Amino acid sequence: MRHPEQDVVVIGGGFYGAAIAIYMAKQRNLKNVVLIEREARLMKRASYNNQARVHNGFHYPRSFTTAYRSRINLPRFVRDWPMAVKTDFTKLYAIARRNSKCTAGQFERFCREIGAAIEPAAPPLRALFEPRLIEDVFLVEEHAFDSTRLAAWAERELAENGVKIRYQTCVKAISRATDALQVTLARPDGVSEQLTTRYVFNCSYSGLNQLGGDFPGVSTGLKQEVTEMALMQMPDALVNLGITVMDGPFFSMMPFPARGLHTLSHVRYTPHLHWTDEKGIDPYRKLAEYERLSRVDRMVRDVARYIPAVSQARYKDSLFEVKTVLVKNEGDDGRPILFEQHAALPGCFSILGGKIDNIYDVLERLDSLVFISSEPRNMQER
């Protein structure tokens, strides 16, 4: 019997796709692993165009599981990727007096429940906030990451572990083949190509459902959003701070290490456009055709009511991207992983992570599975 050409095809060169390709080659000892990426470099889409926050649970007072997993995963992420983690800033969470879905007291109890340490912010930090609009301010531990450094790490690890990368290449379909899966590629020169493989990991984020052939799509409902992260140069009073005001009039400003700036996001103005994900509605085409008119003026005007110094921030740029979330978690803001093993396509998995630290939840699921190499001597047992 002719063995498949590949052991593993990973679709998507974001952080999740790269980490899974490295894991399959390094931890599971599969020798023929190929990573397919539509861009010219790794981690140029959603892995870059985001808030760059390594969560510690504080963001999710209405989703205990998401919060607790973040609190567990943050120290692991800092240990495993120290070169990419920015820790040298002060992080504050403030609770709004009006329209918040949790009070300061509820937030404190929630933090105790997930085992996350908080303390009252010192008077000079509290003085940055408008007391008529802010009930309380807490000092917490939370970090940021530099996606360009994560990409450099991934490129080194992929090369060292023999993973082949196909840049500027799109996957069009996944189909059943004899004792294998067939992956149809659209190469940069426009020529179609087929690869046979034992396993496929669909880590294409917003493109999860945009595959033809026998691919059934994911069973979990997805929502797509065109989002804007404003990149700001903060005034001296805010330059060494990260601030989140919650949980209703929700906004955040976080250091963005890749550019030496801050992101500014707002629950009302960051989402520009949304739709229910369906096969045939290409989210990347919708983003490409979207008129990218910034809403930064409205963000700054509202945020400055709570933190007056924000009015002195200087707008530099905006990051527009498609954000994909699970419909079932819209009410509680939870961000669990989506991990589906497709029965109709044995060996095919679809994976969606809502936060960078969710990677450990994915790897733990993979640890529990058996993977067999096309080289019989490399059979893996669990």
Side-chain angles (χ1 to χ4, degrees):
M1 181 182 68
R2 180 173 172 265
H3 291 302
E5 300 164 298
Q6 309 297 329
D7 286 329
V8 179
V9 171
V10 179
I11 307 170
F15 179 69
Y16 275 67
I20 289 170
I22 292 164
Y23 168 88
M24 297 304 292
K26 190 174 184 178
Q27 269 70 48
R28 304 307 293 267
N29 199 32
L30 299 184
K31 299 303 183 186
N32 301 305
V33 180
V34 62
L35 176 64
I36 311 297
E37 169 52 39
R38 64 190 299 150
E39 303 294 332
R41 297 290 300 275
L42 299 178
M43 301 189 203
K44 298 300 291 184
R45 298 300 305 253
S47 293
Y48 181 89
N49 297 321
N50 64 73
Q51 219 170 36
R53 184 199 307 259
V54 186
H55 284 272
N56 201 8
F58 304 106
H59 216 65
Y60 302 104
R62 289 177 285 127
S63 179
F64 178 88
T65 301
T66 298
Y68 182 73
R69 290 300 301 175
S70 291
R71 210 272 299 164
I72 295 297
N73 289 336
L74 177 136
R76 301 172 68 183
F77 193 92
V78 173
R79 177 199 67 204
D80 291 341
W81 288 282
M83 81 299 287
V85 178
K86 179 179 175 64
T87 62
D88 60 343
F89 66 96
T90 298
K91 186 60 204 290
L92 303 173
Y93 271 76
I95 309 300
R97 286 192 184 278
R98 303 187 187 100
N99 301 317
S100 179
K101 296 176 182 178
C102 74
T103 66
Q106 289 169 335
F107 184 69
E108 287 185 279
R109 288 194 296 274
F110 156 75
C111 291
R112 286 196 298 270
E113 288 171 358
I114 65 170
I118 63 170
E119 59 184 87
L125 294 173
R126 301 173 74 88
L128 294 168
F129 297 84
E130 169 53 64
R132 291 173 297 179
L133 297 178
I134 295 295
E135 179 186 0
D136 212 342
V137 184
F138 301 97
L139 179 67
V140 306
E141 179 187 14
E142 204 166 59
H143 306 315
F145 66 89
D146 185 332
S147 62
T148 62
R149 294 189 176 187
L150 284 176
W153 162 83
E155 288 170 358
R156 290 193 303 270
E157 286 286 315
L158 291 164
E160 289 175 6
N161 289 281
V163 176
K164 298 180 288 292
I165 308 175
R166 301 281 298 272
Y167 289 113
Q168 295 180 294
T169 301
C170 293
V171 174
K172 308 303 288 185
I174 307 172
S175 304
R176 286 184 292 271
T178 304
D179 297 318
L181 297 169
Q182 181 173 280
V183 179
T184 302
L185 310 179
R187 299 188 330 205
D189 59 9
V191 174
S192 181
E193 178 184 352
Q194 278 75 41
L195 296 177
T196 58
T197 181
R198 285 187 180 274
Y199 306 106
V200 174
F201 291 94
N202 177 16
C203 303
S204 53
Y205 193 61
S206 297
L208 277 181
N209 282 327
Q210 306 307 311
L211 298 170
D214 297 315
F215 183 72
V218 300
S219 61
T220 303
L222 303 178
K223 176 184 175 182
Q224 309 281 20
E225 297 179 342
V226 172
T227 62
E228 176 190 8
M229 288 285 168
L231 292 179
M232 312 293 292
Q233 182 178 331
M234 289 296 171
D236 289 346
L238 302 175
V239 73
N240 291 317
L241 298 178
I243 298 174
T244 297
V245 171
M246 56 191 305
D247 174 28
F250 207 140
F251 61 82
S252 285
M253 58 184 83
M254 283 288 294
F256 190 75
R259 295 277 295 272
L261 298 168
H262 277 61
T263 56
L264 180 62
S265 60
H266 193 292
V267 69
R268 189 178 305 125
Y269 301 120
T270 287
H272 280 233
L273 176 70
H274 65 85
W275 66 96
T276 300
D277 185 59
E278 295 178 21
K279 185 171 286 192
I281 302 178
D282 185 344
Y284 299 114
R285 176 171 292 180
K286 288 183 77 75
L287 177 62
E289 295 173 350
Y290 184 71
E291 187 177 9
R292 303 183 184 197
L293 298 178
S294 177
R295 297 176 177 176
V296 67
D297 289 345
R298 281 176 277 182
M299 291 189 203
V300 169
R301 189 160 52 244
D302 189 51
V303 171
R305 295 191 302 120
Y306 296 84
I307 308 168
V310 168
S311 62
Q312 302 167 37
R314 295 175 59 192
Y315 172 65
K316 293 295 184 179
D317 198 2
S318 285
L319 305 175
F320 283 88
E321 189 53 87
V322 181
K323 177 182 179 181
T324 305
V325 297
L326 307 186
V327 172
K328 66 182 181 180
N329 291 111
E330 281 196 277
D332 64 6
D333 289 329
R335 292 294 180 266
I337 60 165
L338 169 66
F339 189 105
E340 287 197 15
Q341 187 170 357
H342 300 290
L345 282 175
C348 182
F349 303 81
S350 289
I351 296 170
L352 173 72
K355 303 182 290 85
I356 200 163
D357 53 89
N358 280 150
I359 190 61
Y360 295 104
D361 300 339
V362 174
L363 297 181
E364 287 172 10
R365 293 287 297 273
L366 295 178
D367 278 341
S368 69
L369 299 176
V370 173
F371 295 101
I372 301 173
S373 173
S374 58
E375 301 177 26
R377 61 187 174 83
N378 290 325
M379 183 179 293
Q380 303 294 303
E381 295 184 359
R382 284 292 186 273

